[in-house]
Amino acid sequence: MQHSNPSGNPAILLSANPALENALDAATTAPWCMDVLSGELQVTAQHLNSLAAFFVPLNHISALLQHLRKADRYLFLQAFNTDPQDQDYQRLRSCDVRLPISDGEQVVETVVRFVGRLQAPVSGVNARVFEGLIVAASHWLAQPSDEYALQFLSGLFAESPIPSFITDKQGVLININDACARLFHLSHRQAEQATGFYSILRDKHLQADAELAAAVQSVYLHGCTHTLEMSYSLGNIHRSRFICDKQIHFRVSFLPIPDRQGNIAQVLVQLQDLSREKSARDALQESEASYKAFITNSSEAIWCYDMQPPVAVCAGLEEQVQQIARCARLVEANKVLINMLGVESLDEIIGSGLIDSGSKNYVFDIHYFVKNHYLMVDHDIVRQDSRGKNFYFQICCTGIVEDGYLKRVWGTTKDITARRRYEEKLRYQSFHDSLTALPNREKLYADMQTCFEQRSAEQISALLLIDLDRFKEINDTLGHNVGDHLLQLIGPRLANEMSEIPGTVARLGGDEFAVFLPRIRSTHQAVVFGHRLLDALSQEFDLDGFTTQISASIGISISPHQAQDQHALMRYADIAMYYAKGQMLGLAIYSAEYDPHSTKRLSIISELGRAIRENQLCLYYQPKVLLDEQRCYGFEALIRWIHPELGFVSPVDFIPMAELTTLIHQLTAWVLEKAIEQCRSWQDQGMSLSIAVNLSARNLMDDNIPKLVERLLLKYKLPAARLELEITESSIMTDPARALRNLDALHALGVHLAIDDFGTGYSSLAYLKRLPVQTLKIDSSFVRTMLDDLQDELIVNSTIHLAHNLGLMVVAEGVENEALLNRLREMGCDEAQGFFIGKPMAVVNANEWLVESGWVKQPPQ
């Protein structure tokens, strides 16, 4: 067809050819026209049966392309291209594509052929127009042609077990079979994405090899047939760490496929996987190379002894040992053995026997060899040179037994002298202190364990644990270098006292030393020796021109009377030492009186965490009343622990221990949540009550405590003013700045703060007036006796006036009778709590008390 439309409009072009349209008005063809520059597409498909519904909405080439597979899209654009250099207006172009067509019930892929020619341009019109026919697969125009046959053959290769793919003349992949996809670990989706995109001529791996690239180029430029061997890394096409390091080795054959004019139309590429063959060949070469390298370049000595004559393995053990020692002759060895034995050449040692090997225990070594079925693995031997110096070696060997006779022994020898000496050095370092060169804790424990394992029934041992007094002052005043020098002088001074009694002097770390006496006559001897050590340490030390005196505290424990093993002995000596230091005694022997509850405390602290998790804990509530209104305004929550085996555990026994561990944070969180939850419950019952909870020093130092309180108040929707947190004076003075910061954060939430046990600590009034507290609680030790003790009454009265002058409320604890209550009211005390008002009680009893006590009066609204 000739393009004669002056406007270049495809729609006008089609309507200007009514004869052609009528002639092709069949169910299997439709005229089409496309301007590849503007993208306009016109298809007259009203009579194309099921294809009409597909084509009628399409008016742009992009709309058509998005329905095509990637390979079909590539072939379509190659056939009907935008290349201005292509001005062949006579060539009939065609392209088969697969379209998703609906037959009314389901969508199926239908093959259609686009046939068309490039139309000559009209002067002044910027267009590149193709027009022709769309032919359904059933039409006679779509019957097999040469091109179709070629495509049919390319379809057949898809089922071939030979990995193959087809490219066009530009090297772009247009078809790939399943075998090839499997070879390159490509999924069906990945293989489909590669078609129409991957170009073998642009492959970076091939381009990196100039010779390989030239061979491939010759296929596409000159139509040459080539067969090559090459390796290809899957890392070029995959990112998975499981396969990206894999290399494929294959033989590749390029077969150009010409068109009718003899020009290259496509190229068939077939692959033969040689990976397994290459691996086997490489493994063989590597094995041979390894064998040669093992013999010639091994860092270990390799040798062979022949039995001349062979030794019968049926003979007795002793007879075999004697025959091997007599008949073994060295027949092969590498240079390492020559150097190891200190000779110039192999000739000097060839033919030598085992007696000449230098081993000090070669007869024992042969015994072991025979008893272990003629095998040695990492067997250590010691060889002594002519000067008597020991060298250490490790042997691996195996005997060759044929026809009931041991004929030869192959083996290796490794020089481990350097390793053994390094191990001895490490052993020394692991057992000695690096600063003082004294034995360390590990060596002390080892010596004690050895003593306990070997001692007789009547043997007595003693451990003296020594801690220097005020050593920190020397470090802080004179510097750590002077302190280290002093520590270095301690060891020799202690050792001088050991001249008449055997034992071990050790440094345990810091300024702590120990002396272990494995054999003493009596406990008295250990005490006398301890005083000798104190006297020795009290003598002046010369520290590079500066003289100083030090003192020490010594704790003594005795075995087996007090402890049966080294760990208990150390623990008891530690307790005695701290007792001596605390009482300023200088020396003390362990006594159970110094540590009466140690086992109980250990059991309690180990089970406290479980008690929190398993709800073994509970809260008791003690009422607090307003004296002027004579009504209960709230409760103080007090924790109680009912242990399933130990029974009632007093808070005095577990709270101080919890404060020494991180368990205090879990414990406080539990108490806060249970107390706030109960207060919320009272609020829901119409009772306007507050709840007070004690915070420890570690809680007050925890920057997370304000966040915890805020979260729990929000969770239970309790007004912050209903929560009162009680803190002790000592907890504030631990770190006043940090305490003030956290108290300010709690105060900002609206929580009431109270100082508990006021008068028992050492707080500063300067800090007290800065703290955001609302209440002072006078300690019960002053309140209980104030009617009988004028000084206590003055303290209580002064505290009330002090608090009121600071704008604080006052709570008196320990109100045990009505007389105390009346006297406190007369003094102007604001609030009170004590057994006279109500004892700490479970929540059930607290609810009964609220009904029956007469202290509950709701404030006027």
Side-chain angles (χ1 to χ4, degrees), residues 353-393:
L354 291 176
I355 195 172
D356 304 315
S357 65
S359 172
K360 297 171 61 177
N361 301 298
Y362 74 92
V363 175
F364 167 79
D365 298 334
I366 299 174
H367 265 95
Y368 176 81
F369 174 70
V370 175
K371 291 173 66 176
N372 201 42
H373 307 291
Y374 312 101
L375 182 69
M376 278 187 180
V377 177
D378 294 340
H379 179 72
D380 291 346
I381 67 169
V382 180
R383 178 178 177 272
Q384 199 171 69
D385 64 6
S386 57
R387 294 172 294 179
K389 187 176 182 180
N390 287 338
F391 293 86
Y392 303 93
F393 300 93

mmCIF file of all heavy atoms in Angstrom, residues 353-393:
data_model
loop_
_atom_site.group_PDB
_atom_site.id
_atom_site.type_symbol
_atom_site.label_atom_id
_atom_site.label_comp_id
_atom_site.label_asym_id
_atom_site.label_seq_id
_atom_site.Cartn_x
_atom_site.Cartn_y
_atom_site.Cartn_z
ATOM 1 N N GLY A 353 68.495 -46.337 63.639
ATOM 2 C CA GLY A 353 67.405 -46.998 64.347
ATOM 3 C C GLY A 353 66.709 -46.067 65.323
ATOM 4 O O GLY A 353 67.062 -44.895 65.472
ATOM 5 N N LEU A 354 65.715 -46.601 66.007
ATOM 6 C CA LEU A 354 64.952 -45.791 66.953
ATOM 7 C C LEU A 354 65.798 -45.336 68.133
ATOM 8 O O LEU A 354 65.542 -44.284 68.720
ATOM 9 C CB LEU A 354 63.741 -46.576 67.452
ATOM 10 C CG LEU A 354 62.642 -46.839 66.425
ATOM 11 C CD1 LEU A 354 61.553 -47.714 67.047
ATOM 12 C CD2 LEU A 354 62.031 -45.531 65.942
ATOM 13 N N ILE A 355 66.797 -46.121 68.486
ATOM 14 C CA ILE A 355 67.638 -45.752 69.611
ATOM 15 C C ILE A 355 68.417 -44.474 69.324
ATOM 16 O O ILE A 355 68.866 -43.780 70.236
ATOM 17 C CB ILE A 355 68.602 -46.918 69.953
ATOM 18 C CG1 ILE A 355 69.208 -46.692 71.344
ATOM 19 C CG2 ILE A 355 69.688 -47.041 68.889
ATOM 20 C CD1 ILE A 355 70.018 -47.875 71.835
ATOM 21 N N ASP A 356 68.587 -44.176 68.027
ATOM 22 C CA ASP A 356 69.327 -42.971 67.628
ATOM 23 C C ASP A 356 68.411 -41.749 67.452
ATOM 24 O O ASP A 356 68.887 -40.681 67.055
ATOM 25 C CB ASP A 356 70.063 -43.220 66.296
ATOM 26 C CG ASP A 356 70.981 -44.426 66.372
ATOM 27 O OD1 ASP A 356 71.709 -44.526 67.393
ATOM 28 O OD2 ASP A 356 70.958 -45.250 65.439
ATOM 29 N N SER A 357 67.113 -41.918 67.683
ATOM 30 C CA SER A 357 66.176 -40.825 67.424
ATOM 31 C C SER A 357 66.257 -39.701 68.456
ATOM 32 O O SER A 357 65.768 -38.594 68.219
ATOM 33 C CB SER A 357 64.746 -41.371 67.402
ATOM 34 O OG SER A 357 64.382 -41.856 68.690
ATOM 35 N N GLY A 358 66.833 -39.987 69.623
ATOM 36 C CA GLY A 358 66.958 -38.962 70.662
ATOM 37 C C GLY A 358 65.823 -38.985 71.659
ATOM 38 O O GLY A 358 65.830 -38.222 72.628
ATOM 39 N N SER A 359 64.816 -39.820 71.447
ATOM 40 C CA SER A 359 63.691 -39.886 72.374
ATOM 41 C C SER A 359 64.134 -40.507 73.695
ATOM 42 O O SER A 359 64.850 -41.509 73.716
ATOM 43 C CB SER A 359 62.559 -40.725 71.770
ATOM 44 O OG SER A 359 61.542 -40.941 72.721
ATOM 45 N N LYS A 360 63.700 -39.910 74.812
ATOM 46 C CA LYS A 360 64.087 -40.417 76.130
ATOM 47 C C LYS A 360 63.277 -41.644 76.514
ATOM 48 O O LYS A 360 63.693 -42.423 77.378
ATOM 49 C CB LYS A 360 63.882 -39.318 77.178
ATOM 50 C CG LYS A 360 64.753 -38.104 76.969
ATOM 51 C CD LYS A 360 64.374 -36.971 77.894
ATOM 52 C CE LYS A 360 64.534 -37.337 79.348
ATOM 53 N NZ LYS A 360 64.235 -36.209 80.254
ATOM 54 N N ASN A 361 62.110 -41.843 75.889
ATOM 55 C CA ASN A 361 61.216 -42.940 76.280
ATOM 56 C C ASN A 361 60.776 -43.740 75.059
ATOM 57 O O ASN A 361 59.607 -44.093 74.942
ATOM 58 C CB ASN A 361 59.986 -42.382 77.008
ATOM 59 C CG ASN A 361 60.348 -41.592 78.245
ATOM 60 O OD1 ASN A 361 60.934 -42.127 79.175
ATOM 61 N ND2 ASN A 361 60.016 -40.306 78.246
ATOM 62 N N TYR A 362 61.699 -44.020 74.143
ATOM 63 C CA TYR A 362 61.273 -44.659 72.901
ATOM 64 C C TYR A 362 60.711 -46.061 73.135
ATOM 65 O O TYR A 362 59.836 -46.517 72.391
ATOM 66 C CB TYR A 362 62.430 -44.684 71.892
ATOM 67 C CG TYR A 362 63.524 -45.683 72.187
ATOM 68 C CD1 TYR A 362 63.473 -46.970 71.652
ATOM 69 C CD2 TYR A 362 64.614 -45.337 72.979
ATOM 70 C CE1 TYR A 362 64.480 -47.889 71.917
ATOM 71 C CE2 TYR A 362 65.614 -46.239 73.241
ATOM 72 C CZ TYR A 362 65.542 -47.523 72.718
ATOM 73 O OH TYR A 362 66.526 -48.441 72.983
ATOM 74 N N VAL A 363 61.177 -46.764 74.175
ATOM 75 C CA VAL A 363 60.631 -48.092 74.456
ATOM 76 C C VAL A 363 59.166 -47.972 74.890
ATOM 77 O O VAL A 363 58.291 -48.715 74.427
ATOM 78 C CB VAL A 363 61.459 -48.811 75.537
ATOM 79 C CG1 VAL A 363 60.801 -50.144 75.910
ATOM 80 C CG2 VAL A 363 62.882 -49.043 75.048
ATOM 81 N N PHE A 364 58.874 -46.985 75.748
ATOM 82 C CA PHE A 364 57.486 -46.748 76.148
ATOM 83 C C PHE A 364 56.651 -46.357 74.934
ATOM 84 O O PHE A 364 55.493 -46.774 74.788
ATOM 85 C CB PHE A 364 57.430 -45.632 77.203
ATOM 86 C CG PHE A 364 56.048 -45.110 77.461
ATOM 87 C CD1 PHE A 364 55.153 -45.816 78.267
ATOM 88 C CD2 PHE A 364 55.616 -43.918 76.870
ATOM 89 C CE1 PHE A 364 53.885 -45.337 78.487
ATOM 90 C CE2 PHE A 364 54.338 -43.437 77.090
ATOM 91 C CZ PHE A 364 53.464 -44.142 77.901
ATOM 92 N N ASP A 365 57.229 -45.546 74.039
ATOM 93 C CA ASP A 365 56.507 -45.122 72.843
ATOM 94 C C ASP A 365 56.158 -46.332 71.968
ATOM 95 O O ASP A 365 55.057 -46.392 71.409
ATOM 96 C CB ASP A 365 57.353 -44.129 72.041
ATOM 97 C CG ASP A 365 57.658 -42.861 72.825
ATOM 98 O OD1 ASP A 365 56.857 -42.529 73.727
ATOM 99 O OD2 ASP A 365 58.687 -42.222 72.553
ATOM 100 N N ILE A 366 57.066 -47.298 71.861
ATOM 101 C CA ILE A 366 56.784 -48.493 71.061
ATOM 102 C C ILE A 366 55.682 -49.319 71.731
ATOM 103 O O ILE A 366 54.796 -49.858 71.044
ATOM 104 C CB ILE A 366 58.057 -49.337 70.866
ATOM 105 C CG1 ILE A 366 59.129 -48.523 70.127
ATOM 106 C CG2 ILE A 366 57.749 -50.612 70.089
ATOM 107 C CD1 ILE A 366 60.468 -49.232 70.017
ATOM 108 N N HIS A 367 55.708 -49.430 73.055
ATOM 109 C CA HIS A 367 54.639 -50.129 73.771
ATOM 110 C C HIS A 367 53.277 -49.518 73.409
ATOM 111 O O HIS A 367 52.323 -50.240 73.094
ATOM 112 C CB HIS A 367 54.865 -50.015 75.291
ATOM 113 C CG HIS A 367 55.594 -51.174 75.875
ATOM 114 N ND1 HIS A 367 56.966 -51.165 76.073
ATOM 115 C CD2 HIS A 367 55.168 -52.398 76.299
ATOM 116 C CE1 HIS A 367 57.347 -52.303 76.599
ATOM 117 N NE2 HIS A 367 56.282 -53.092 76.752
ATOM 118 N N TYR A 368 53.217 -48.208 73.484
ATOM 119 C CA TYR A 368 51.954 -47.525 73.189
ATOM 120 C C TYR A 368 51.543 -47.770 71.746
ATOM 121 O O TYR A 368 50.358 -48.014 71.456
ATOM 122 C CB TYR A 368 52.116 -46.022 73.444
ATOM 123 C CG TYR A 368 50.905 -45.195 73.080
ATOM 124 C CD1 TYR A 368 49.820 -45.105 73.950
ATOM 125 C CD2 TYR A 368 50.836 -44.531 71.858
ATOM 126 C CE1 TYR A 368 48.706 -44.367 73.629
ATOM 127 C CE2 TYR A 368 49.726 -43.786 71.520
ATOM 128 C CZ TYR A 368 48.665 -43.704 72.401
ATOM 129 O OH TYR A 368 47.556 -42.972 72.071
ATOM 130 N N PHE A 369 52.515 -47.756 70.826
ATOM 131 C CA PHE A 369 52.250 -47.951 69.401
ATOM 132 C C PHE A 369 51.652 -49.334 69.137
ATOM 133 O O PHE A 369 50.648 -49.472 68.426
ATOM 134 C CB PHE A 369 53.566 -47.767 68.626
ATOM 135 C CG PHE A 369 53.487 -48.078 67.164
ATOM 136 C CD1 PHE A 369 52.793 -47.256 66.293
ATOM 137 C CD2 PHE A 369 54.125 -49.204 66.637
ATOM 138 C CE1 PHE A 369 52.740 -47.539 64.933
ATOM 139 C CE2 PHE A 369 54.062 -49.495 65.296
ATOM 140 C CZ PHE A 369 53.365 -48.656 64.435
ATOM 141 N N VAL A 370 52.221 -50.363 69.720
ATOM 142 C CA VAL A 370 51.748 -51.727 69.489
ATOM 143 C C VAL A 370 50.381 -51.939 70.157
ATOM 144 O O VAL A 370 49.458 -52.503 69.558
ATOM 145 C CB VAL A 370 52.778 -52.744 70.001
ATOM 146 C CG1 VAL A 370 52.242 -54.179 69.868
ATOM 147 C CG2 VAL A 370 54.092 -52.608 69.232
ATOM 148 N N LYS A 371 50.227 -51.483 71.405
ATOM 149 C CA LYS A 371 48.963 -51.674 72.124
ATOM 150 C C LYS A 371 47.819 -50.897 71.471
ATOM 151 O O LYS A 371 46.646 -51.287 71.592
ATOM 152 C CB LYS A 371 49.117 -51.226 73.577
ATOM 153 C CG LYS A 371 50.021 -52.147 74.389
ATOM 154 C CD LYS A 371 50.288 -51.601 75.777
ATOM 155 C CE LYS A 371 49.036 -51.572 76.607
ATOM 156 N NZ LYS A 371 49.308 -51.137 78.003
ATOM 157 N N ASN A 372 48.148 -49.826 70.746
ATOM 158 C CA ASN A 372 47.122 -49.013 70.074
ATOM 159 C C ASN A 372 46.915 -49.465 68.626
ATOM 160 O O ASN A 372 46.521 -48.667 67.786
ATOM 161 C CB ASN A 372 47.520 -47.529 70.110
ATOM 162 C CG ASN A 372 46.336 -46.611 69.917
ATOM 163 O OD1 ASN A 372 45.262 -46.829 70.472
ATOM 164 N ND2 ASN A 372 46.514 -45.586 69.101
ATOM 165 N N HIS A 373 47.228 -50.766 68.357
ATOM 166 C CA HIS A 373 47.010 -51.355 67.030
ATOM 167 C C HIS A 373 47.832 -50.636 65.958
ATOM 168 O O HIS A 373 47.337 -50.287 64.895
ATOM 169 C CB HIS A 373 45.520 -51.343 66.667
ATOM 170 C CG HIS A 373 44.631 -51.961 67.697
ATOM 171 N ND1 HIS A 373 44.638 -53.318 67.965
ATOM 172 C CD2 HIS A 373 43.732 -51.403 68.552
ATOM 173 C CE1 HIS A 373 43.772 -53.577 68.927
ATOM 174 N NE2 HIS A 373 43.211 -52.439 69.315
ATOM 175 N N TYR A 374 49.086 -50.396 66.283
ATOM 176 C CA TYR A 374 50.061 -49.840 65.343
ATOM 177 C C TYR A 374 49.620 -48.460 64.836
ATOM 178 O O TYR A 374 49.695 -48.164 63.640
ATOM 179 C CB TYR A 374 50.300 -50.802 64.178
ATOM 180 C CG TYR A 374 50.557 -52.217 64.642
ATOM 181 C CD1 TYR A 374 49.561 -53.183 64.592
ATOM 182 C CD2 TYR A 374 51.795 -52.573 65.198
ATOM 183 C CE1 TYR A 374 49.789 -54.472 65.077
ATOM 184 C CE2 TYR A 374 52.023 -53.864 65.678
ATOM 185 C CZ TYR A 374 51.018 -54.805 65.626
ATOM 186 O OH TYR A 374 51.240 -56.062 66.100
ATOM 187 N N LEU A 375 49.181 -47.651 65.789
ATOM 188 C CA LEU A 375 48.699 -46.312 65.436
ATOM 189 C C LEU A 375 49.037 -45.340 66.565
ATOM 190 O O LEU A 375 48.909 -45.671 67.745
ATOM 191 C CB LEU A 375 47.177 -46.332 65.213
ATOM 192 C CG LEU A 375 46.516 -45.023 64.788
ATOM 193 C CD1 LEU A 375 46.933 -44.649 63.374
ATOM 194 C CD2 LEU A 375 44.994 -45.148 64.869
ATOM 195 N N MET A 376 49.498 -44.157 66.186
ATOM 196 C CA MET A 376 49.712 -43.064 67.133
ATOM 197 C C MET A 376 49.076 -41.806 66.574
ATOM 198 O O MET A 376 49.261 -41.490 65.392
ATOM 199 C CB MET A 376 51.213 -42.795 67.352
ATOM 200 C CG MET A 376 51.903 -43.694 68.337
ATOM 201 S SD MET A 376 53.593 -43.120 68.619
ATOM 202 C CE MET A 376 54.168 -44.332 69.777
ATOM 203 N N VAL A 377 48.344 -41.097 67.424
ATOM 204 C CA VAL A 377 47.744 -39.826 67.022
ATOM 205 C C VAL A 377 48.101 -38.779 68.071
ATOM 206 O O VAL A 377 47.744 -38.928 69.249
ATOM 207 C CB VAL A 377 46.213 -39.938 66.881
ATOM 208 C CG1 VAL A 377 45.605 -38.579 66.521
ATOM 209 C CG2 VAL A 377 45.842 -40.978 65.825
ATOM 210 N N ASP A 378 48.849 -37.766 67.651
ATOM 211 C CA ASP A 378 49.243 -36.658 68.538
ATOM 212 C C ASP A 378 49.877 -37.181 69.828
ATOM 213 O O ASP A 378 49.506 -36.788 70.942
ATOM 214 C CB ASP A 378 48.040 -35.762 68.863
ATOM 215 C CG ASP A 378 47.517 -35.020 67.640
ATOM 216 O OD1 ASP A 378 48.280 -34.901 66.669
ATOM 217 O OD2 ASP A 378 46.360 -34.570 67.664
ATOM 218 N N HIS A 379 50.848 -38.045 69.661
ATOM 219 C CA HIS A 379 51.558 -38.612 70.804
ATOM 220 C C HIS A 379 52.770 -37.739 71.111
ATOM 221 O O HIS A 379 53.603 -37.486 70.243
ATOM 222 C CB HIS A 379 51.999 -40.046 70.494
ATOM 223 C CG HIS A 379 52.747 -40.699 71.605
ATOM 224 N ND1 HIS A 379 52.137 -41.111 72.766
ATOM 225 C CD2 HIS A 379 54.068 -41.015 71.735
ATOM 226 C CE1 HIS A 379 53.036 -41.659 73.565
ATOM 227 N NE2 HIS A 379 54.216 -41.605 72.963
ATOM 228 N N ASP A 380 52.857 -37.251 72.348
ATOM 229 C CA ASP A 380 53.944 -36.352 72.729
ATOM 230 C C ASP A 380 55.173 -37.142 73.147
ATOM 231 O O ASP A 380 55.075 -38.136 73.899
ATOM 232 C CB ASP A 380 53.508 -35.453 73.884
ATOM 233 C CG ASP A 380 52.456 -34.443 73.464
ATOM 234 O OD1 ASP A 380 52.267 -34.277 72.240
ATOM 235 O OD2 ASP A 380 51.817 -33.829 74.347
ATOM 236 N N ILE A 381 56.351 -36.692 72.678
ATOM 237 C CA ILE A 381 57.626 -37.284 73.086
ATOM 238 C C ILE A 381 58.578 -36.149 73.463
ATOM 239 O O ILE A 381 58.392 -34.998 73.053
ATOM 240 C CB ILE A 381 58.259 -38.157 71.979
ATOM 241 C CG1 ILE A 381 58.677 -37.280 70.781
ATOM 242 C CG2 ILE A 381 57.315 -39.260 71.540
ATOM 243 C CD1 ILE A 381 59.541 -38.032 69.784
ATOM 244 N N VAL A 382 59.569 -36.492 74.250
ATOM 245 C CA VAL A 382 60.590 -35.530 74.657
ATOM 246 C C VAL A 382 61.928 -36.022 74.132
ATOM 247 O O VAL A 382 62.307 -37.183 74.350
ATOM 248 C CB VAL A 382 60.648 -35.381 76.193
ATOM 249 C CG1 VAL A 382 61.720 -34.360 76.582
ATOM 250 C CG2 VAL A 382 59.295 -34.970 76.735
ATOM 251 N N ARG A 383 62.639 -35.133 73.432
ATOM 252 C CA ARG A 383 63.965 -35.470 72.898
ATOM 253 C C ARG A 383 64.988 -34.568 73.561
ATOM 254 O O ARG A 383 64.781 -33.367 73.708
ATOM 255 C CB ARG A 383 63.997 -35.282 71.376
ATOM 256 C CG ARG A 383 65.342 -35.568 70.749
ATOM 257 C CD ARG A 383 65.292 -35.406 69.240
ATOM 258 N NE ARG A 383 66.587 -35.599 68.650
ATOM 259 C CZ ARG A 383 67.500 -34.636 68.480
ATOM 260 N NH1 ARG A 383 67.207 -33.400 68.839
ATOM 261 N NH2 ARG A 383 68.670 -34.894 67.930
ATOM 262 N N GLN A 384 66.112 -35.156 73.960
ATOM 263 C CA GLN A 384 67.163 -34.406 74.636
ATOM 264 C C GLN A 384 68.375 -34.326 73.729
ATOM 265 O O GLN A 384 68.829 -35.338 73.182
ATOM 266 C CB GLN A 384 67.514 -35.104 75.955
ATOM 267 C CG GLN A 384 68.236 -34.238 76.956
ATOM 268 C CD GLN A 384 68.351 -34.923 78.297
ATOM 269 O OE1 GLN A 384 69.085 -35.918 78.426
ATOM 270 N NE2 GLN A 384 67.640 -34.414 79.294
ATOM 271 N N ASP A 385 68.901 -33.091 73.550
ATOM 272 C CA ASP A 385 70.075 -32.947 72.678
ATOM 273 C C ASP A 385 71.346 -33.248 73.470
ATOM 274 O O ASP A 385 71.303 -33.616 74.658
ATOM 275 C CB ASP A 385 70.118 -31.552 72.060
ATOM 276 C CG ASP A 385 70.297 -30.444 73.095
ATOM 277 O OD1 ASP A 385 70.508 -30.765 74.279
ATOM 278 O OD2 ASP A 385 70.211 -29.262 72.706
ATOM 279 N N SER A 386 72.481 -33.079 72.807
ATOM 280 C CA SER A 386 73.766 -33.447 73.411
ATOM 281 C C SER A 386 74.095 -32.603 74.635
ATOM 282 O O SER A 386 74.878 -33.016 75.486
ATOM 283 C CB SER A 386 74.875 -33.311 72.365
ATOM 284 O OG SER A 386 74.906 -31.971 71.853
ATOM 285 N N ARG A 387 73.515 -31.409 74.753
ATOM 286 C CA ARG A 387 73.778 -30.542 75.898
ATOM 287 C C ARG A 387 72.784 -30.776 77.038
ATOM 288 O O ARG A 387 72.806 -30.063 78.039
ATOM 289 C CB ARG A 387 73.728 -29.078 75.465
ATOM 290 C CG ARG A 387 74.847 -28.707 74.486
ATOM 291 C CD ARG A 387 74.646 -27.302 73.947
ATOM 292 N NE ARG A 387 73.441 -27.216 73.126
ATOM 293 C CZ ARG A 387 73.018 -26.098 72.541
ATOM 294 N NH1 ARG A 387 73.711 -24.980 72.696
ATOM 295 N NH2 ARG A 387 71.928 -26.105 71.812
ATOM 296 N N GLY A 388 71.835 -31.724 76.839
ATOM 297 C CA GLY A 388 70.870 -32.033 77.887
ATOM 298 C C GLY A 388 69.635 -31.157 77.871
ATOM 299 O O GLY A 388 68.811 -31.229 78.789
ATOM 300 N N LYS A 389 69.458 -30.364 76.826
ATOM 301 C CA LYS A 389 68.291 -29.491 76.732
ATOM 302 C C LYS A 389 67.116 -30.259 76.129
ATOM 303 O O LYS A 389 67.275 -30.970 75.146
ATOM 304 C CB LYS A 389 68.620 -28.271 75.863
ATOM 305 C CG LYS A 389 67.524 -27.227 75.847
ATOM 306 C CD LYS A 389 67.968 -25.999 75.053
ATOM 307 C CE LYS A 389 66.891 -24.923 75.058
ATOM 308 N NZ LYS A 389 67.309 -23.715 74.295
ATOM 309 N N ASN A 390 65.970 -30.108 76.715
ATOM 310 C CA ASN A 390 64.787 -30.846 76.279
ATOM 311 C C ASN A 390 64.077 -30.107 75.151
ATOM 312 O O ASN A 390 63.921 -28.882 75.174
ATOM 313 C CB ASN A 390 63.805 -31.051 77.433
ATOM 314 C CG ASN A 390 64.296 -32.086 78.426
ATOM 315 O OD1 ASN A 390 65.128 -32.938 78.097
ATOM 316 N ND2 ASN A 390 63.790 -32.020 79.645
ATOM 317 N N PHE A 391 63.623 -30.910 74.167
ATOM 318 C CA PHE A 391 62.787 -30.414 73.081
ATOM 319 C C PHE A 391 61.551 -31.303 73.022
ATOM 320 O O PHE A 391 61.614 -32.505 73.293
ATOM 321 C CB PHE A 391 63.531 -30.447 71.742
ATOM 322 C CG PHE A 391 64.691 -29.485 71.667
ATOM 323 C CD1 PHE A 391 65.942 -29.856 72.141
ATOM 324 C CD2 PHE A 391 64.521 -28.218 71.130
ATOM 325 C CE1 PHE A 391 67.010 -28.968 72.080
ATOM 326 C CE2 PHE A 391 65.582 -27.326 71.075
ATOM 327 C CZ PHE A 391 66.828 -27.703 71.554
ATOM 328 N N TYR A 392 60.435 -30.714 72.631
ATOM 329 C CA TYR A 392 59.156 -31.417 72.687
ATOM 330 C C TYR A 392 58.605 -31.595 71.269
ATOM 331 O O TYR A 392 58.605 -30.665 70.453
ATOM 332 C CB TYR A 392 58.160 -30.633 73.547
ATOM 333 C CG TYR A 392 58.676 -30.385 74.944
ATOM 334 C CD1 TYR A 392 59.359 -29.208 75.241
ATOM 335 C CD2 TYR A 392 58.492 -31.326 75.951
ATOM 336 C CE1 TYR A 392 59.847 -28.980 76.517
ATOM 337 C CE2 TYR A 392 58.968 -31.099 77.233
ATOM 338 C CZ TYR A 392 59.656 -29.926 77.513
ATOM 339 O OH TYR A 392 60.139 -29.702 78.776
ATOM 340 N N PHE A 393 58.134 -32.822 71.008
ATOM 341 C CA PHE A 393 57.621 -33.156 69.681
ATOM 342 C C PHE A 393 56.296 -33.902 69.815
ATOM 343 O O PHE A 393 55.993 -34.477 70.867
ATOM 344 C CB PHE A 393 58.623 -34.023 68.909
ATOM 345 C CG PHE A 393 59.960 -33.365 68.705
ATOM 346 C CD1 PHE A 393 61.000 -33.564 69.610
ATOM 347 C CD2 PHE A 393 60.172 -32.533 67.612
ATOM 348 C CE1 PHE A 393 62.221 -32.957 69.428
ATOM 349 C CE2 PHE A 393 61.394 -31.924 67.439
ATOM 350 C CZ PHE A 393 62.427 -32.127 68.339
#
